[in-house]
Amino acid sequence: MTRIETDFIVVGSGIAGLMTALSLCSSGQVIILTKARQEESNSFRAQGGIAAAIGEGDSPELHREDTLRTGAELCDPASVDLMVHMAPQTIQLLAEWGIPFDQEDGDFALAREGSHSISRILHVSGDSTGAGITSSLLKRAKESQQIEMVTHTMVVDLFMDQGVCKGVFTFDLEHRPACFLARKGVVLATGGCGQLYRYTTNDLVATGDGFAMAYRAGAKLTDMEFIQFHPTALAVEQNPMFLISEAVRGEGAILLNDAGEAFMSRYHEWKDLAPRDVVSRAIYSEMQEGRRVYLDATCLGSRFAKRFPKIYRECLARDIDPAKDWIPVTPAAHFIMGGIRTDLDGQTTIPRLFACGEVACTGVHGANRLASNSLLEGTVFAQRVAQKLASLAPQSLEMEKVDHPPLFIDKQKEFVLKRRIQEIMWNYAGIIRTSSGLLKGLKQLEQLKEEIPVGLFECHNMLVTAQIIIRSALWRQESRGGHYRYDYPETNAEWSTKHYVI
Ligand SMILES: Cc1cc2nc3c(=O)[nH]c(=O)nc-3n(C[C@H](O)[C@H](O)[C@H](O)COP(=O)(O)OP(=O)(O)OC[C@H]3O[C@@H](n4cnc5c(N)ncnc54)[C@H](O)[C@@H]3O)c2cc1C
């Protein structure tokens, strides 16, 4: 087995991983390990933008207020404070690094999205914000002598020595095992777990590996019941599903059912710009009643193609012209608010193990994420992680024989097993949950566990993460943010200070 030593190991090449590596590279050697192509991430798919209080009439306090309100009283105010106050300088830094944020009248163009009380969303090439930011960061990382990017290399477990994280075990594309060791520390920036669900906007890489690996190593996870279902994925069977950004509704598009009714007024006073969980449940309820749901963006006319070029192209490819036709939409799993519990420096409960981005739970999202706060969280906390990690003294990497976990390969079996987990999670731990459904889901996952061969890592990780989500969802006997219990439909003040930690 190959053994490689470096100062810092970063797992993941999304916005959080890249930003961490770039913030660390003046302090030592960084190796980024990523399991597919370097562009394969949810970050690359992000459309709408990144939030920051930089516009006229806006302030970090207002951004804070919107974030806390959307988080349904479960956010950590200190984390939110830190994020909203670091947001303007982070945007400045990204702009200095050459991120081509869209401009209007010589200033940053700012869009409005659901639950934001003011226009504060920066974007790149209209609706290609994630690709715009990520490619610029990738280019910058490539130019750095201190950063090495190792693609198509899956981290399968953390290497622990007496309770301390010292590195990671990997397999590359040719199935060769290796052990990467870090003198300073390991950062998990492995993103979310949308692939746990039958319908999702998340990239195929989002199989929850980081949550499962951290859990196996003994790290604490929290708030895992809170899943955000995006209301408007394009209702065409494919994995991942294509997202119709919330910014389209921000520009005036409205939701209609197949009777032509603008039904959102029946569900919330903010109508189409109500919080995501409300809109998702409203659409889901319409669909449960047997109605199809559409997004009518025809009011944008020819402006649609200019403002949302990527969405326009994707729709046209399916014979839908958003300037004239209603776009069929459906909710889909999109984001997880919970994750590996970290402090304000991204430190997990395991020494030398850090986490940032979607895999971490810094507390900024509470029970529900405010649109465009996720790219922001990744960039802000990556800088915090780097600052802390760089200050640590190097650890000894002397050790006895190291055993690498075995690998099992059977693509067909893997597909079938993954699909079963996805069905279970969609049916029993989805948009509307009940105690009996969650228990049924848990039981089915337990039975499925026996069928997953040792060494089928993504499947195991999906199963472990799914079990954690269901246990957390069973525990929370109320409805709040991204967690809705049909049997406990009210939000209960008693639960506003409680977090499930596992
Ligand atoms: C379609 C879509 C649109 C979105 N739009 C927005 C938006 O407009 N604004 C916003 O704020 N948020 C948006 N989000 C959410 C946001 O994109 C993500 O939350 C964020 O990009 C997560 O960044 P990350 O770096 O934590 O993870 P990711 O970008 O998902 O990166 C994870 C990385 O880890 C790697 N990885 C995972 N497991 C392993 C392993 N075992 N070994 C090695 N590598 C591994 C992956 O290959 C990948 O490189 C959107 C999400 C989606 C899916």
Side-chain angles (χ1 to χ4, degrees), residues 16 51 110 125 140 180 184 198 200 240 246-247 355 384 401 423-425 430 471 500:
L110 297 174
S125 307
R140 202 176 166 86
F180 288 78
K184 295 278 194 119
R198 177 72 174 82
T200 181
E246 192 151 29
R384 299 281 302 187
K401 188 174 158 288
E423 296 280 2
I424 293 171
M425 290 302 281
R471 283 201 191 105
Y500 189 65

Side-chain angles (χ1 to χ4, degrees), residues 23-198:
S23 309
L24 274 173
C25 66
S26 55
S27 309
Q29 277 179 336
V30 188
I31 291 183
I32 303 178
L33 299 165
T34 194
K35 70 177 171 180
R37 289 180 304 116
Q38 59 185 12
E39 295 86 3
E40 193 116 12
S41 64
N42 279 344
S43 298
F44 208 81
R45 291 175 176 271
Q47 293 180 352
I50 178 165
I54 55 167
E56 216 180 294
D58 201 0
S59 66
E61 285 68 35
L62 214 53
H63 189 181
R64 176 183 193 272
E65 237 172 69
D66 290 346
T67 304
L68 291 175
R69 187 191 57 250
T70 307
E73 292 176 56
L74 222 67
C75 298
D76 174 351
S79 281
V80 175
D81 255 354
L82 179 81
M83 181 179 76
V84 297
H85 280 97
M86 275 184 73
Q89 72 205 56
T90 298
I91 295 298
Q92 203 53 48
L93 177 67
L94 292 174
E96 278 163 23
W97 283 1
I99 311 286
F101 290 115
D102 293 338
Q103 308 275 315
E104 205 170 51
D105 304 328
D107 229 327
F108 291 127
L110 297 174
R112 181 152 177 214
E113 288 188 342
S115 286
H116 285 271
S117 55
I118 194 166
S119 298
R120 67 161 71 91
I121 317 299
L122 292 105
H123 40 89
V124 180
S125 307
D127 55 359
S128 296
T129 309
I133 299 180
T134 317
S135 352
S136 299
L137 296 182
L138 277 169
K139 183 166 171 281
R140 202 176 166 86
K142 262 196 196 136
E143 285 162 5
S144 166
Q145 301 285 321
Q146 294 287 80
I147 300 177
E148 185 187 347
M149 170 83 69
V150 185
T151 62
H152 299 98
T153 296
M154 170 146 178
V155 173
V156 294
D157 241 330
L158 299 174
F159 173 56
M160 301 291 297
D161 186 28
Q162 294 175 21
V164 177
C165 182
K166 294 211 162 160
V168 296
F169 294 110
T170 63
F171 282 103
D172 67 11
L173 204 54
E174 275 83 44
H175 315 306
R176 288 177 300 217
C179 181
F180 288 78
L181 298 167
R183 286 183 280 273
K184 295 278 194 119
V186 173
V187 184
L188 287 175
T190 44
C193 59
Q195 284 295 326
L196 259 59
Y197 287 89
R198 177 72 174 82

Side-chain angles (χ1 to χ4, degrees), residues 3-7 9 159-168 179-186 351-352 392-400 402:
R3 174 192 156 120
I4 297 140
E5 283 187 24
T6 185
D7 292 317
I9 292 171
F159 173 56
M160 301 291 297
D161 186 28
Q162 294 175 21
V164 177
C165 182
K166 294 211 162 160
V168 296
C179 181
F180 288 78
L181 298 167
R183 286 183 280 273
K184 295 278 194 119
V186 173
R352 305 270 177 176
L392 298 182
Q395 60 180 334
S396 158
L397 297 178
E398 294 299 311
M399 58 199 73
E400 315 250 297
V402 174

Side-chain angles (χ1 to χ4, degrees), residues 291-500:
R291 292 188 276 271
R292 284 192 297 273
V293 173
Y294 299 88
L295 190 62
D296 176 7
T298 54
C299 61
L300 274 79
S302 56
R303 213 156 55 80
F304 193 102
K306 226 184 236 163
R307 174 66 181 88
F308 303 109
K310 189 172 163 196
I311 301 176
Y312 185 71
R313 279 195 306 275
E314 290 284 337
C315 287
L316 274 194
R318 293 166 181 87
D319 289 329
I320 303 161
D321 179 355
K324 297 192 206 123
D325 306 323
W326 295 355
I327 307 167
V329 291
T330 177
H334 186 57
F335 183 84
I336 181 158
M337 271 66 77
I340 306 167
R341 193 166 78 173
T342 67
D343 64 11
L344 296 181
D345 295 318
Q347 294 190 102
T348 71
T349 50
I350 291 180
R352 305 270 177 176
L353 179 66
F354 290 69
C356 64
E358 193 168 335
V359 75
C361 184
T362 57
V364 293
H365 305 302
N368 206 2
R369 172 180 71 111
L370 183 65
S372 288
N373 261 357
S374 166
L375 294 180
L376 178 63
E377 181 196 22
T379 49
V380 162
F381 284 91
Q383 296 171 73
R384 299 281 302 187
V385 164
Q387 209 177 4
K388 184 70 193 181
L389 248 178
S391 73
L392 298 182
Q395 60 180 334
S396 158
L397 297 178
E398 294 299 311
M399 58 199 73
E400 315 250 297
K401 188 174 158 288
V402 174
D403 288 327
H404 198 289
L407 179 67
F408 180 87
I409 305 163
D410 182 339
K411 291 280 170 208
Q412 181 60 28
K413 192 177 183 92
E414 189 174 17
F415 177 82
V416 172
L417 289 167
K418 281 182 174 176
R419 182 47 66 89
R420 282 172 63 190
I421 296 172
Q422 290 164 341
E423 296 280 2
I424 293 171
M425 290 302 281
W426 185 258
N427 291 337
Y428 302 120
I431 297 170
I432 295 180
R433 302 160 173 180
T434 62
S435 166
S436 58
L438 289 165
L439 286 169
K440 211 174 193 170
L442 203 55
K443 194 168 166 205
Q444 291 186 9
L445 286 175
E446 200 54 49
Q447 286 162 350
L448 197 60
K449 193 174 162 188
E450 308 302 320
E451 295 179 41
I452 304 178
V454 173
L456 209 53
F457 294 103
E458 280 187 344
C459 258
H460 270 289
N461 292 338
M462 284 171 67
L463 187 110
V464 168
T465 310
Q467 285 177 321
I468 294 173
I469 290 172
I470 295 197
R471 283 201 191 105
S472 311
L474 265 170
W475 172 81
R476 186 169 287 276
Q477 295 180 342
E478 64 153 356
S479 293
R480 184 183 295 272
H483 168 71
Y484 186 83
R485 287 279 299 258
Y486 187 74
D487 43 355
Y488 296 97
E490 304 299 328
T491 302
N492 185 336
E494 272 177 38
W495 288 85
S496 66
T497 51
K498 294 185 190 168
H499 297 267
Y500 189 65

